[in-house]
Amino acid sequence: MPVDTITQSVPTTLRAAVGGTTRPALPQSRAARELGLKRSEFDLAVRLGRIRTVPDEGGGGRRVTRAEIDRVASEDGFPEALREQVRAVGTAEGAALLGVTTPRFTRLARLGLVSPVGFYLNRYRTVVWLYAAEDLRRFTEDEKHAPLLRGRTPEPLRRRLDAGLDLRARNWRGRHLGSLLRQANDPWARAAALASLLEAAQVEETVPDPCERAHMNRFAPEPPSRSAAPDSPAALLTRRIMTAEDADEVAWLRSDLASALVEARADRPAPRPAARPGPEQGPGPECRPASPDPDPEPNPDPDPTPVADADPDHRSDRASGRHRGLLGWLRRGDD
């Protein structure tokens, strides 16, 4: 699988002189229009590192500098080449690209051999996974994958499938976390990205200080789907997909969250409420988790957000004996 492009932090407003004027960074919806992309295509381009975004100094959603728009628009084959790079397909079209049947494609995805880049829920509340067409083309070009595309699935892999292996949700979480970490320009934001994939009780055990949890929560990333009501079935299912399930995945996240907290504390301690003067006044006010800043820019594009195949079963492989940290794994990228 391809390695996601690493993005760089740049100032929010590009102060390039053009006839004595400044060139402010644009909201993402405006940037998508200028690049001729649907919002779903633009969002996937950002997640894959094709388009770099920067934080808004005013506290709003992330923005895109004019320099970045100029860079993307100047690439060879623009805009058709960019659209092809961010084209996402479902199971049927993905199977056609690989030249295999739909059931075989689903097996490859469950085994983690092709990884989703997004998902959405259809009208029946079934998870529809979407895959990057460019990933699938590269998969077919690798000769070592030829036996997986023809003939019987090897017996060891069939046994894992029979045992219920399904790595789609887990692999999506890995790519999603990689995107969050690339965009995080603050150590507390990196900690919040890791915490976003854990159960609340696991975060509380790893970060026992309520003031640190409250401060970290200010940097909590937006969920992939913002249109569903918080307690709706769609929101609950999305949250299930976003939450690590296997013991080794949870252990990786908690270990890396603890390491990220060490870096965040060294950068700056979490703010604490001032204590009331005098012992008769009692203890100072408690730290309370703050809600993350709302994104002022809704997603107007009705198209689903890209990532791979339809199946509501999200069980993951109980892999054992792995000792690499999750961040190290992400930084390696897909081989």
Side-chain angles (χ1 to χ4, degrees):
M1 304 299 289
V3 178
D4 290 341
T5 305
I6 302 300
T7 60
Q8 304 291 332
S9 296
V10 295
T12 301
T13 303
L14 178 66
R15 299 291 180 180
V18 180
T21 63
T22 59
R23 306 177 69 197
L26 301 178
Q28 294 185 62
S29 57
R30 171 73 180 278
R33 290 195 299 271
E34 294 213 1
L35 292 172
L37 297 176
K38 297 178 181 178
R39 185 57 192 271
S40 58
E41 294 173 329
F42 178 88
D43 289 343
L44 181 56
V46 171
R47 286 199 300 276
L48 296 179
R50 308 296 188 192
I51 298 175
R52 297 186 290 255
T53 64
V54 296
D56 184 354
E57 293 171 355
R62 297 182 68 84
R63 302 172 80 86
V64 183
T65 65
R66 284 284 186 181
E68 179 64 6
I69 292 175
D70 293 343
R71 182 192 68 80
V72 174
S74 66
E75 292 181 342
D76 292 341
F78 176 85
E80 290 78 11
L82 177 60
R83 290 199 189 102
E84 189 60 25
Q85 289 172 357
V86 298
R87 185 163 71 94
V89 299
T91 302
E93 192 174 354
L97 287 174
L98 294 187
V100 300
T101 63
T102 298
R104 183 182 286 267
F105 182 90
T106 300
R107 290 196 296 271
L108 293 174
R110 289 180 59 194
L111 288 165
L113 298 172
V114 292
S115 299
V117 292
F119 67 90
Y120 67 95
L121 306 181
N122 65 16
R123 68 181 65 183
Y124 305 107
R125 295 175 186 161
T126 297
V127 178
V128 178
W129 294 104
L130 298 170
Y131 306 84
E134 185 178 40
D135 287 359
L136 301 181
R137 280 193 298 272
R138 293 185 182 184
F139 185 89
T140 60
E141 292 169 358
D142 193 331
E143 285 300 322
K144 71 180 181 182
H145 295 146
L148 298 170
L149 301 176
R150 296 184 292 272
R152 287 176 59 83
T153 302
E155 180 62 28
L157 298 182
R158 280 192 281 121
R159 286 199 298 267
R160 298 178 76 187
L161 290 170
D162 292 341
L165 174 68
D166 190 345
L167 295 177
R168 287 173 293 184
R170 180 168 177 162
N171 282 350
W172 174 82
R173 285 192 293 270
R175 300 187 78 155
H176 178 61
L177 178 58
S179 175
L180 294 177
L181 292 174
R182 285 194 299 273
Q183 293 187 55
N185 62 339
D186 182 282
W188 286 100
R190 289 189 285 274
L194 291 158
S196 69
L197 301 185
L198 291 168
E199 295 279 5
Q202 295 163 348
V203 174
E204 187 170 350
E205 291 174 359
T206 310
V207 191
D209 188 325
C211 289
E212 290 185 335
R213 291 200 306 274
H215 187 57
M216 187 173 65
N217 192 62
R218 295 180 60 86
F219 299 90
E222 289 285 343
S225 176
R226 307 171 191 173
S227 58
D231 295 326
S232 66
L236 294 176
L237 183 52
T238 297
R239 182 60 200 167
R240 176 188 169 191
I241 294 172
M242 289 187 61
T243 304
E245 295 180 319
D246 297 322
D248 62 329
E249 184 184 9
V250 171
W252 284 346
L253 288 166
R254 293 186 62 169
S255 175
D256 290 332
L257 174 56
S259 297
L261 277 173
V262 172
E263 297 179 9
R265 292 166 185 148
D267 181 73
R268 67 184 186 281
R272 299 180 181 277
R276 296 189 180 96
E280 69 283 356
Q281 300 295 327
E286 296 180 358
C287 292
R288 297 183 181 276
S291 299
D293 292 335
D295 188 342
E297 183 189 351
N299 185 347
D301 189 349
D303 290 353
T305 300
V307 190
D309 194 12
D311 192 320
D313 184 6
H314 306 296
R315 290 170 293 179
S316 299
D317 183 28
R318 266 64 178 174
S320 60
R322 290 176 161 174
H323 303 288
R324 297 188 303 273
L326 180 59
L327 289 178
W329 173 69
L330 287 169
R331 288 169 183 151
R332 283 178 50 221
D334 299 320
D335 293 332

